Amino acid sequence: MVELSAALAGQHNNILAKMVPSPIRVVDDKFSTIDGILKLTLGEPDFAAPEHIKQAIIRDVQADDSHYSSSQGVLALREAISDYLVDRFDTPRYDPATEVSVTVGAAEAISATFQALFNPGDELIVPTPTFPLYASVAQTLGIEVIGLNTAPDFIVTPAKLTAILTAHPNAKAILLNYPSNPTGVTYSETELKALVAILREHQLFVIADEIYAELVYDAKHTSMARLLPEQTVLISGVSKSHAMTGYRIGYVVGPAELMKQVGKAHQAMVATAPGPMMAGALEALRNGREDPEKMRVVYEERRDLVLAGLAEAGFTAAQPGGAFYIFAKIPDFLNTNDTEFVYDLADTVKLGVAPGSIFGAGGEGYIRISYAASTENLKSAITRLKHYVDLRK
Amino acid sequence: MVELSAALAGQHNNILAKMVPSPIRVVDDKFSTIDGILKLTLGEPDFAAPEHIKQAIIRDVQADDSHYSSSQGVLALREAISDYLVDRFDTPRYDPATEVSVTVGAAEAISATFQALFNPGDELIVPTPTFPLYASVAQTLGIEVIGLNTAPDFIVTPAKLTAILTAHPNAKAILLNYPSNPTGVTYSETELKALVAILREHQLFVIADEIYAELVYDAKHTSMARLLPEQTVLISGVSKSHAMTGYRIGYVVGPAELMKQVGKAHQAMVATAPGPMMAGALEALRNGREDPEKMRVVYEERRDLVLAGLAEAGFTAAQPGGAFYIFAKIPDFLNTNDTEFVYDLADTVKLGVAPGSIFGAGGEGYIRISYAASTENLKSAITRLKHYVDLRK
């Protein structure tokens, strides 16, 4: 232990000092102290990275790729990202030299994009319930977050979009994360086109976080980079699609003028992503286009299993069209204070799920269940939930 | 190519927009267009990462370490960092749980530390000539950089330190990077103790970037974490010591109260460092303690080779006690405008070195030579330099 000089106590960044630790981590840590708990709290694939991706990393390490890469990422990977987006989502072709940056996961993509686009005091519209990282990063940069409550359908409708843009005519950007963490809800092409018609009439950026684009069950994913490229900065990565969250490779694509700024923020922040991890991402996008489908099929089975179990237990949920989350409403015959509910659930039947209110307005009275867990564990979770309902009914 | 909506042109962060690309990269890119050029511009080990470190990464990938790690880094690595600092530099033992964060290279360590410590408008004293990244990161955060010109000895003396602290009584921190990039100059324990006696009387942080601590030639490295732990945030990493820059593993250690804030900045910025790269760093610190010495011996021979060659060509240099840079004064019989000099040198004898002025006040009239290059190339460089001097004398 090292003692801080008393005179220097509290002498740090004011904004960061006020920031609380990630609430989902706090809940998860509390659950971790309960013996025998089954946690469906965190959003992480339970699959291991595909073998051919692991082999590509191993070959890269063996080939002594231990030196600095190009700051925006090795060119071959930037080319693969451009090609992939065109082939898979019919986007325009982003210029690998000037319109693509490889980042340390989608997290750094968000940080670099926010830093590049916003000045302190700028307004960012964020539909809620939402992944808490956006607000954390916005807070550190002095960005004013305008929440847009999307309950009970958990999609931004044309009416809601028009209303918020009217109320906040100077908003600089809107963040769209779909399929959504925490709700699993996503948009059809028709729904998106209705939003795009409105967005096109306003001078604002769309920051589209489409990290779950490969995990879509009921229809094909439609990218904002296809519908509205002239206003869109697209954030994505291979973490969820190829079950390689720990390898930390994400990316940002957008018009060159913006990407020049994103690239500067990225360079100052981390210099460059690690070479062997980029070799893995390159393999994923060049030779692993079929990998997500294998996992998608399994996730879809799990989703349906959990949805059915929830229904039997008396829970309803908005249709989870993507990602690996179900956002379920706590039925009225139970304690609908979601924080109290999840702790009682954990204490009583040793099942850990995330309380909806930590994801912002609209999440109160809901729970988020991650089905990135084994089928066996999901079956056990349903049994536990039903047992809990029987006890409390 | 994707066209940005005309209405959104120029709508990005004001500070970043004004930031110029890294000047060393600009120079290096220009040199790269010259056929047959021999570049000693960039500061990167020419060694490959040691084989046992590569094998540790490969084993980690094979063991399916593709999931999120703990945000502050795997605990085993944080423990190894604490142990290493105690064993190698006789620092206090930093608590792995609360006083150590693993970052994406020293670059992210700098970003996270600056973000954690400073509010906009805070003053940071930076001795010059200096590595340009500090000023870039400071600029993006609104930190006011107070330059301290250290020419011609390129060390902060007690007199200079007292003068700048008197002139800037509210300075929040001083950055000390030693061994120094770009000068190669470092401090003896006696010199540091004289500075510490002054620093202890002032309420300011010391941000000690000791990334080159293992590359010290004439005496043992003394860490600020040993001499003044109560005011110090130590930034380091394994990139230079173990020739693994591209793996991007750095770290920050300091008193828990500060590290709590650094950890939040780090989590918001990148979530966590990549698992397999951390496995490599763990191997480096646990079983690769002898690796740096093998490289150090080679670098020292190269340093002496270049110093001798420079002297024969009429150049003097401050004693480069560490890192792999020599900061040499352009002799008066040549064009001492360093920018003009380096381009003429590159055009005439195809030798690329960095102009001193890009490293800030005190660097004018100097060149930085990186001797992280093969002995053969260094001999050729000296021959080219002598030839140039003969042509221009």
Side-chain angles (χ1 to χ4, degrees), chain A residues 1-297:
Chain A
M1 283 289 293
V2 175
E3 282 296 316
L4 177 67
S5 165
L8 295 173
Q11 297 294 312
H12 34 66
N13 180 270
N14 298 331
I15 297 173
L16 217 55
K18 278 180 240 151
M19 261 174 63
V20 293
S22 161
I24 182 75
R25 288 277 177 185
V26 173
V27 172
D28 189 71
D29 287 351
K30 279 196 192 167
F31 288 164
S32 296
T33 63
I34 299 174
D35 210 39
I37 188 122
L38 171 55
K39 291 193 293 181
L40 304 178
T41 30
L42 296 184
E44 160 152 47
D46 60 317
F47 299 102
E51 186 62 29
H52 70 108
I53 292 174
K54 291 162 55 183
Q55 290 304 325
I57 294 171
I58 289 169
R59 284 194 304 274
D60 187 75
V61 170
Q62 284 168 337
D64 286 332
D65 181 18
S66 52
H67 301 277
Y68 285 119
S69 302
S70 160
S71 177
Q72 303 312 311
V74 283
L75 188 58
L77 175 55
R78 284 183 274 152
E79 287 168 347
I81 291 165
S82 287
D83 292 345
Y84 164 79
L85 291 172
V86 171
D87 297 347
R88 190 79 181 86
F89 302 112
D90 201 19
T91 69
R93 188 163 199 279
Y94 289 92
D95 178 6
T98 60
E99 298 182 326
V100 182
S101 281
V102 179
T103 58
V104 178
E108 195 229 323
I110 292 164
S111 285
T113 300
F114 280 21
Q115 193 173 38
L117 288 186
F118 296 99
N119 291 300
D122 280 349
E123 293 175 343
L124 167 65
I125 298 168
V126 178
T128 65
T130 182
F131 182 46
L133 181 68
Y134 307 122
S136 296
V137 174
Q139 207 179 343
T140 63
L141 297 170
I143 300 165
E144 197 177 328
V145 171
I146 313 291
L148 172 56
N149 188 334
T150 62
D153 299 326
F154 303 120
I155 60 166
V156 178
T157 59
K160 282 185 178 172
L161 181 60
T162 300
I164 198 121
L165 291 175
T166 305
H168 298 277
N170 296 320
K172 191 166 202 176
I174 183 169
L175 192 137
L176 291 178
N177 164 226
Y178 66 93
S180 155
N181 174 6
T183 67
V185 168
T186 193
Y187 294 82
S188 70
E189 181 168 349
T190 309
E191 287 167 335
L192 285 171
K193 281 185 169 167
L195 299 182
V196 164
I198 298 164
L199 291 166
R200 198 172 270 138
E201 299 304 310
H202 289 79
Q203 297 180 18
L204 85 169
F205 294 105
V206 177
I207 302 173
D209 181 347
E210 302 180 14
I211 186 77
Y212 292 102
E214 288 281 4
L215 299 178
V216 169
Y217 309 110
D218 305 321
K220 198 172 165 356
H221 179 80
T222 304
S223 178
M224 285 301 290
R226 170 158 79 82
L227 299 184
L228 192 63
E230 66 274 20
Q231 289 174 245
T232 296
V233 178
L234 172 66
I235 289 170
S236 196
V238 287
S239 292
K240 313 288 183 176
S241 60
H242 289 78
M244 44 194 274
T245 50
Y247 295 164
R248 315 293 311 117
I249 299 297
Y251 53 82
V252 190
V253 304
E257 181 188 321
L258 300 180
M259 291 309 299
K260 189 174 172 187
Q261 308 306 324
V262 171
K264 284 192 246 178
H266 163 72
Q267 183 164 19
M269 218 178 295
V270 300
T272 174
M277 304 293 93
M278 289 197 277
L282 175 61
E283 174 69 15
L285 294 179
R286 283 282 182 234
N287 304 315
R289 295 277 182 95
E290 305 307 316
D291 295 334
E293 177 59 16
K294 293 171 208 160
M295 293 184 265
R296 204 195 58 73
V297 169

Side-chain angles (χ1 to χ4, degrees), chain B residues 116-140:
Chain B
L117 287 187
F118 296 98
N119 290 300
D122 280 349
E123 294 176 341
L124 167 65
I125 298 169
V126 178
T128 65
T130 183
F131 182 45
L133 180 69
Y134 306 122
S136 297
V137 174
Q139 208 180 341
T140 63

